[in-house]
Amino acid sequence: MDQRVGITITEHLLREQRESPEATGAFTYLLNELIVAAKVISREVNKAGLVDILGATGDVNIQEEQVQKLDVFANRVIIERMRHVGQLCCMGSEEMADLIEIPPQFPKGNYILLFDPLDGSSNIDVNVSIGTIFGIYKTESPDTDFDFLLSEVLQPGTKLVAAGYFIYGSSTIMVYTTGNGVHGFTLYPSIGEFLLSHPNIRIPEKGKIYSVNEGNYRYWDEKTKAMVEYFKTKDKETGRPYTSRYVGSLVADFHRNLLKGGIFMYPADLKDPKKPAGKLRLMVEANPLAMVVDQAGGYASDGHGPVLEIKPQELHQRIPLYIGSKKDVEMAEAFISEKLTL
Ligand code: AHG
Ligand code: MN
Ligand code: MN
């Protein structure tokens, strides 16, 4: 390890590859290409602020290009970069209604990439941290006809081979797991490398932070109200009331709680009758973060059981999400599944 630079993500990935006998390097190549896409998005996200300041003429940016919404841009960057890597049999994006086919001119592979290209989009224009979330599955039948691939995609989170996220904030951070712990890397723009900054992340078993959009209070059922009330109630022995922190970007709220401890909640609500299970998506948000938090010693629940064990029914399925410190999520689950009333 070069003392001046530290461990790069590539070095870390190659170390992990050497430790897994069946590794062929395909996965390392796949993740490296996703990292390049994230670097491109990170640069654009940072420029977006600049464009906003300098792009006062409305929808034309400083290079006289049409300003693309960053989530559309991020989606395009990932799809165009990943489809020629030759390691995927298909992709699924939060932004695309259907599975994304690998064009016939590109070789296919055994992996499936699912992603939320830009998480926290409502925060882009107010310079608050946003991110990209990804999960990677393997398929035993990559040659399945594209029309039947969805059944290969709809695997429970326990089958994920890797998951993680990028946060585009005061610095750009990548956090990922392949099932051997959770590791965080910080992007050094001057050398364009992600360097290991958070080895073996472990989430505190119990936190002091709760994250929920209390503006939805009127749309919650009584169990949910009682559960949130629990974290706000004064009780010295259990360190309550917790502090409220809510950024509105899942990746940012999740990352803070991962490092400091705490619980993030997006309960089911009656706000939108079309989304009775709440807003967050199982395949591209909940499952990847559930694998990360599980590997860091935390827990993710839909209020009734482990997120990772949910058998997905559809690509854009939404679920209620309670994720973070194990003891806090177990408490929330006890309220929601009515195993506990105080
Ligand atoms: P996305 O931008 O990918 O649609 O995700 C936004 C999500 C998530 O990032 C965040 O936790 C949640 O929306 C915030 O929702 P509310 O504004 O309803 O609280
Ligand atoms: Mn999202
Ligand atoms: Mn998104």
Side-chain angles (χ1 to χ4, degrees):
M1 176 175 87
D2 176 334
Q3 293 303 333
R4 290 186 308 284
V5 168
I7 297 179
T8 65
I9 175 71
T10 307
E11 190 179 342
H12 197 272
L13 284 170
L14 288 171
R15 280 189 188 180
E16 288 219 324
Q17 178 186 313
R18 281 196 291 274
E19 280 155 25
S20 42
E22 79 283 352
T24 62
F27 175 76
T28 303
Y29 174 39
L30 176 68
L31 216 46
N32 261 320
E33 286 301 293
L34 184 61
I35 289 164
V36 174
K39 289 178 185 175
V40 172
I41 295 167
S42 170
R43 187 200 59 193
E44 204 65 20
V45 164
N46 293 322
K47 204 169 72 180
L50 190 59
V51 166
D52 283 344
I53 297 165
L54 300 181
T57 55
D59 64 354
V60 175
N61 72 12
I62 42 180
Q63 288 89 6
E64 297 298 315
E65 295 161 10
Q66 288 301 317
V67 173
Q68 288 186 329
K69 275 181 63 182
L70 279 170
D71 40 12
V72 172
F73 171 82
N75 189 52
R76 186 166 61 77
V77 165
I78 295 175
I79 292 172
E80 289 180 2
R81 173 153 291 277
M82 298 310 290
R83 64 185 179 184
H84 63 63
V85 169
Q87 306 304 334
L88 296 170
C89 63
C90 67
M91 291 184 261
S93 167
E94 178 196 280
E95 299 293 331
M96 313 293 276
D98 303 316
L99 278 186
I100 301 156
E101 197 165 4
I102 305 299
Q105 67 268 32
F106 299 127
K108 289 188 182 56
N110 294 12
Y111 291 104
I112 297 163
L113 172 66
L114 296 175
F115 59 95
D116 176 358
L118 209 68
D119 174 67
S121 319
S122 64
N123 279 327
I124 291 173
D125 48 6
V126 293
N127 222 14
V128 168
S129 298
I130 50 183
T132 297
I133 305 171
F134 66 91
I136 299 173
Y137 288 100
K138 214 167 178 179
T139 171
E140 300 312 322
S141 25
D143 300 324
T144 307
D145 184 85
F146 179 72
D147 295 338
F148 302 99
L149 260 180
L150 188 57
S151 59
E152 289 300 309
V153 171
L154 296 181
Q155 301 179 43
T158 46
K159 299 283 190 191
L160 280 164
V161 294
Y165 56 89
F166 298 90
I167 293 191
Y168 314 115
S170 48
S171 56
T172 293
I173 294 210
M174 173 192 182
V175 172
Y176 89 103
T177 181
T178 58
N180 302 309
V182 177
H183 311 286
F185 298 78
T186 300
L187 179 63
Y188 280 63
S190 54
I191 56 172
E193 277 291 352
F194 278 101
L195 300 183
L196 182 64
S197 50
H198 301 75
N200 293 308
I201 299 173
R202 302 293 292 170
I203 187 170
E205 197 179 28
K206 188 177 171 302
K208 293 187 178 56
I209 294 171
Y210 78 100
S211 310
V212 70
N213 181 347
E214 305 222 32
N216 293 334
Y217 181 84
R218 294 277 168 274
Y219 301 109
W220 292 337
D221 65 15
E222 291 313 309
K223 295 176 298 183
T224 304
K225 289 176 182 174
M227 181 268 298
V228 174
E229 203 52 39
Y230 169 83
F231 289 107
K232 296 165 73 168
T233 303
K234 188 172 168 49
D235 175 78
K236 201 166 167 32
E237 199 189 314
T238 51
R240 290 180 289 148
Y242 281 20
T243 298
S244 170
R245 289 286 183 274
Y246 193 75
V247 169
S249 296
L250 171 58
V251 281
D253 282 314
F254 175 82
H255 184 69
R256 180 203 53 245
N257 293 356
L258 180 71
L259 298 185
K260 294 190 163 189
I263 178 170
F264 172 92
M265 310 176 243
Y266 207 104
D269 63 50
L270 301 174
K271 197 171 179 180
D272 180 345
K274 291 194 297 302
K275 299 175 196 163
K279 177 177 184 181
L280 299 181
R281 301 138 187 113
L282 172 61
M283 300 306 284
V284 296
E285 292 171 315
N287 259 337
L289 297 185
M291 180 183 184
V292 170
V293 84
D294 183 68
Q295 280 289 313
Y299 178 42
S301 168
D302 66 348
H304 299 281
V307 167
L308 290 174
E309 292 176 10
I310 295 172
K311 176 67 183 94
Q313 301 305 313
E314 52 180 70
L315 187 57
H316 296 287
Q317 177 174 344
R318 296 172 195 267
I319 62 161
L321 181 62
Y322 302 88
I323 188 168
S325 293
K326 193 174 179 64
K327 289 219 179 299
D328 295 330
V329 176
E330 286 171 344
M331 181 57 80
E333 188 178 90
F335 272 98
I336 300 301
S337 54
E338 288 186 299
K339 295 186 188 108
L340 175 89
T341 43
L342 286 185

Coordinates of all heavy atoms in Angstrom, one line a residue, residues 94-95 116 118-119, ligand 3:
E94 N -34.8 2.4 -11.5 CA -36.0 3.1 -10.9 C -36.7 3.9 -12.0 O -37.9 4.1 -11.9 CB -35.5 4.0 -9.7 CG -36.7 4.7 -9.1 CD -36.1 5.8 -8.2 OE1 -35.7 5.5 -7.1 OE2 -36.1 7.0 -8.7
E95 N -35.9 4.5 -12.9 CA -36.4 5.4 -13.9 C -37.1 4.7 -15.1 O -37.6 5.4 -16.0 CB -35.3 6.3 -14.4 CG -34.6 7.2 -13.3 CD -35.6 8.2 -12.8 OE1 -36.5 8.7 -13.5 OE2 -35.4 8.6 -11.6
D116 N -31.0 2.7 -8.5 CA -31.7 4.0 -8.4 C -30.6 5.0 -8.8 O -29.7 5.3 -8.1 CB -32.1 4.2 -7.0 CG -32.8 5.6 -6.8 OD1 -32.8 6.4 -7.8 OD2 -33.2 5.9 -5.7
L118 N -30.4 8.2 -9.4 CA -30.2 9.4 -8.5 C -31.3 9.4 -7.4 O -32.5 9.6 -7.7 CB -30.3 10.7 -9.4 CG -29.5 11.8 -8.8 CD1 -28.0 11.5 -8.9 CD2 -29.8 13.1 -9.5
D119 N -30.8 9.2 -6.2 CA -31.7 9.1 -5.1 C -31.7 10.5 -4.4 O -30.7 11.1 -4.1 CB -31.3 8.0 -4.1 CG -32.1 8.0 -2.8 OD1 -33.3 7.7 -2.9 OD2 -31.6 8.4 -1.8
Ligands
MN3 MN -34.2 8.1 -7.9

